[in-house]
Amino acid sequence: MATPPSTHRPDELTLEVVDLIGAVVGRYHEEYEEAAAEHALTGAQAKLLSLLCLEPLPMRKLAQKLRCEPSNVTGIVDRLESRGLVERRPDPADRRVKLAVATREGRQVARDLRESLRFAREPLAGLTDDERLALRDLLRRMLGDGA
């Protein structure tokens, strides 16, 4: 049986926190798009490249992670592949499946892009280690990832 939606209104502090989270997310996306453009990448290309730096992934899994259609992922991978940032390889577990894999150059571009994000680096540097740990743990908790 589904739980009925809550009918009570959020308190002012909760609303302020939600607005601040929205502002942080907006600023992050804006800077991420700018950093991607400096590497002649779209935001989607940069995101896909950063995902592939974690592990090779099949197109279907990339589409799920990017929340888009597999045909869109194919186009993004094609463009990254033409630049030598990504390559396709057969999946050793199922040779019918192709994995997208970041090349050495692709991993370097993704690392450079991540390191160029001032918004992520500068404000956090102003926090103590304990404050950053607390922020990390709270964000993980909000996302249901534990602390």
Side-chain angles (χ1 to χ4, degrees):
M1 178 176 224
T3 305
S6 177
T7 56
H8 75 284
R9 297 182 52 77
D11 61 89
E12 288 301 314
L13 178 58
T14 298
L15 293 173
E16 182 180 3
V17 169
V18 168
D19 288 344
L20 289 168
I21 290 171
V24 167
V25 168
R27 193 175 299 173
Y28 174 81
H29 282 294
E30 182 179 308
E31 186 166 318
Y32 194 84
E33 291 284 335
E34 289 172 9
E38 289 174 14
H39 291 85
L41 298 170
T42 65
Q45 289 171 336
K47 177 74 172 165
L48 186 143
L49 191 57
S50 68
L51 287 171
L52 293 180
C53 287
L54 301 174
E55 62 180 327
L57 292 167
M59 303 294 205
R60 186 173 310 280
K61 186 74 140 188
L62 280 168
Q64 290 170 346
K65 288 184 175 280
L66 293 173
R67 296 186 173 135
C68 68
E69 292 297 317
S71 60
N72 292 345
V73 169
T74 299
I76 295 169
V77 169
D78 287 346
R79 287 184 289 284
L80 292 173
E81 190 173 37
S82 72
R83 290 186 52 191
L85 302 176
V86 168
E87 62 187 25
R88 289 176 171 94
R89 295 184 189 159
D91 185 341
D94 183 349
R95 299 195 56 82
R96 296 170 296 175
V97 175
K98 293 286 187 196
L99 297 176
V101 182
T103 63
R104 182 181 313 170
E105 183 181 352
R107 288 189 301 275
Q108 183 61 52
V109 167
R111 189 172 24 260
D112 291 348
L113 191 148
R114 188 172 188 206
E115 290 173 0
S116 73
L117 294 174
R118 293 174 317 280
F119 176 70
R121 186 178 57 241
E122 292 170 2
L124 290 174
L127 302 177
T128 67
D129 286 347
D130 287 342
E131 288 170 331
R132 283 182 295 177
L133 284 168
L135 178 59
R136 180 206 60 195
D137 293 345
L138 289 168
L139 291 170
R140 283 181 175 173
R141 196 164 126 202
M142 284 182 70
L143 293 170
D145 294 344

